[in-house]
Amino acid sequence: MDAASAPLQIVLRKLFLVSGFIALAAMLGISALSSRSIAQPLVDVVTHLRLSAATGELAEFPEGRGGAQEIRDLTQGFNNAAKAVRESRERLTRAYVQFVGSLAQALDARDAYTAGHSRRVSEYSCAIAKAMNLAEDDLEIIRVGGLLHDLGKIGISDLVLQKPGRLTPEETELIRQHPVIGKRILENVQGLEAYLGIVELHHENLNGTGYPHGLKGEETPLYARIVKVADAYDAMTSDRPYRRGKSHAEALAVLRSVSGSEMDPQVVEAFALLGDQRKQAAFAGSQSLRSLSEAVQSEIDRAVPLAASVTTAALEVVAREREAL
Ligand SMILES: [Fe+2]
């Protein structure tokens, strides 16, 4: 029997051996794949979290990630938390910008002659930045930075700030502190770093004779060089108790006379191309006045036929009453 079944036993032994090896290899392969499908997403998650911890930015995980359901739940939970943190940070920044903007307005209101100065500087600066084809993000920095540029004057006494006569060297030195005071107010607030350059450096001159640091040329960021031109223009064209404001042409001539020494020539020329900004503001005002008067006129046009028909009806009633009498 053994001799007869020997070949079959050899074949069967080989078959069991081969199928055993195949099953073992398949099992190893499947377990390697399945462990990889769990381990790799975990490695990705840990790497992402480490990166977030290192940068302080809670970057969200990409949508539609694979991996086990638990890992998807984990990344989704992280994304929700990151979104909530980001939104609350944005809300906080907006609230702070509004608060500081109100402070800037209050600062302008301390002196009737500087009322609206920060708002106008912000508007003129944005107009220049648009003329220079700056990106939308840059415009936003310039808009808020322009609003906040003189924030540091909060720390300077009214007696010095509103002194009508000539300032003593000590008082001049005190006023020259306002860019640094403004920077100190803002620098401790996360999210407002972008405006620091404008607040601190809007009195630097191109030739290095400005303050507080005496920076030269492009050492002063473009944002601050733009706000400087807008600031000087508004200061020159605004009335003061002791002098009338210059005309647009006169102010532009002064800006051009210091273009290249104090002011950035590119910025001055971009501003010159815009024309009289105050006229444009007045034009915008007249546009809204015109639309208001058009609205009133259309109301009158609508009301007149109505009044006429009411009057006609009333007259008819009176006539009928008379006939009846
Ligand atoms: Fe200033």
Side-chain angles (χ1 to χ4, degrees):
M1 285 282 285
D2 281 350
S5 63
L8 184 64
Q9 281 181 30
I10 290 167
V11 170
L12 283 174
R13 209 171 289 141
K14 274 183 185 169
L15 189 66
F16 286 138
L17 206 62
V18 169
S19 53
F21 273 119
I22 288 172
L24 188 67
M27 194 188 72
L28 283 174
I30 289 167
S31 62
L33 279 176
S34 64
S35 76
R36 191 177 153 74
S37 76
I38 293 171
Q40 191 56 45
L42 274 176
V43 169
D44 290 348
V45 168
V46 170
T47 311
H48 191 94
L49 292 177
R50 279 201 183 127
L51 195 71
S52 294
T55 58
E57 291 291 324
L58 296 177
E60 289 176 33
F61 287 97
E63 288 291 325
R65 288 175 57 84
Q69 184 59 42
E70 288 79 2
I71 293 173
R72 284 206 295 275
D73 290 346
L74 178 72
T75 55
Q76 188 58 48
F78 178 88
N79 283 356
N80 292 342
K83 195 173 165 205
V85 170
R86 197 178 56 246
E87 283 174 358
S88 71
R89 194 183 285 172
E90 282 169 4
R91 270 201 301 276
L92 197 64
T93 304
R94 268 202 304 277
Y96 191 79
V97 167
Q98 277 169 4
F99 172 67
V100 176
S102 306
L103 275 182
Q105 254 180 352
L107 172 77
D108 286 355
R110 277 163 79 182
D111 181 351
Y113 288 93
T114 57
H117 170 70
S118 302
R119 182 185 46 77
R120 287 193 300 273
V121 168
S122 170
E123 285 170 6
Y124 298 162
S125 304
C126 278
I128 297 172
K130 265 188 203 158
M132 293 178 82
N133 292 323
L134 296 196
E136 210 51 48
D137 288 351
D138 296 326
L139 284 180
E140 183 56 16
I141 293 175
I142 287 171
R143 189 185 71 75
V144 180
L147 217 52
L148 305 182
H149 76 284
D150 268 347
L151 183 72
K153 284 188 178 168
I154 283 173
I156 296 176
S157 154
D158 279 358
L159 291 174
V160 178
L161 219 52
Q162 295 169 20
K163 185 174 169 182
R166 274 184 88 84
L167 296 174
T168 65
E170 292 78 28
E171 288 165 343
T172 306
E173 193 44 48
L174 204 62
I175 286 194
R176 285 178 161 224
Q177 295 295 314
H178 79 269
V180 176
I181 298 172
K183 180 200 160 202
R184 278 198 214 118
I185 294 172
L186 296 184
E187 71 184 348
N188 295 321
V189 187
Q190 210 181 16
L192 297 185
E193 300 86 357
Y195 317 119
L196 287 180
I198 292 176
V199 173
E200 188 187 6
L201 305 173
H202 69 276
H203 284 293
E204 296 289 353
N205 287 339
L206 213 62
N207 59 9
T209 57
Y211 59 92
H213 305 300
L215 299 183
K216 280 186 177 173
E218 294 190 359
E219 287 173 344
T220 307
L222 179 60
Y223 301 152
R225 301 198 311 264
I226 289 175
V227 170
K228 181 181 177 67
V229 170
D231 188 19
Y233 176 82
D234 189 64
M236 283 191 282
T237 52
S238 300
D239 291 333
R240 289 283 185 276
Y242 46 90
R243 64 150 172 82
R244 267 192 67 76
K246 287 183 169 38
S247 70
H248 171 72
E250 287 168 340
L252 198 59
V254 174
L255 286 177
R256 280 189 164 139
S257 72
V258 291
S259 172
S261 54
E262 293 179 19
M263 306 284 171
D264 183 335
Q266 260 190 310
V267 179
V268 172
E269 286 319 304
F271 186 63
L273 285 175
L274 291 171
D276 191 339
Q277 286 298 296
R278 296 162 314 151
K279 264 189 199 158
Q280 286 176 20
F283 176 71
S286 72
Q287 287 289 86
S288 58
L289 266 181
R290 185 187 295 169
S291 58
L292 180 68
S293 73
E294 278 171 4
V296 170
Q297 188 59 49
S298 80
E299 282 303 310
I300 291 171
D301 291 347
R302 228 161 45 85
V304 166
L306 189 70
S309 64
V310 169
T311 314
T312 314
L315 286 174
E316 280 171 7
V317 170
V318 171
R320 269 204 304 276
E321 289 297 317
R322 259 192 202 152
E323 273 175 24
L325 280 170

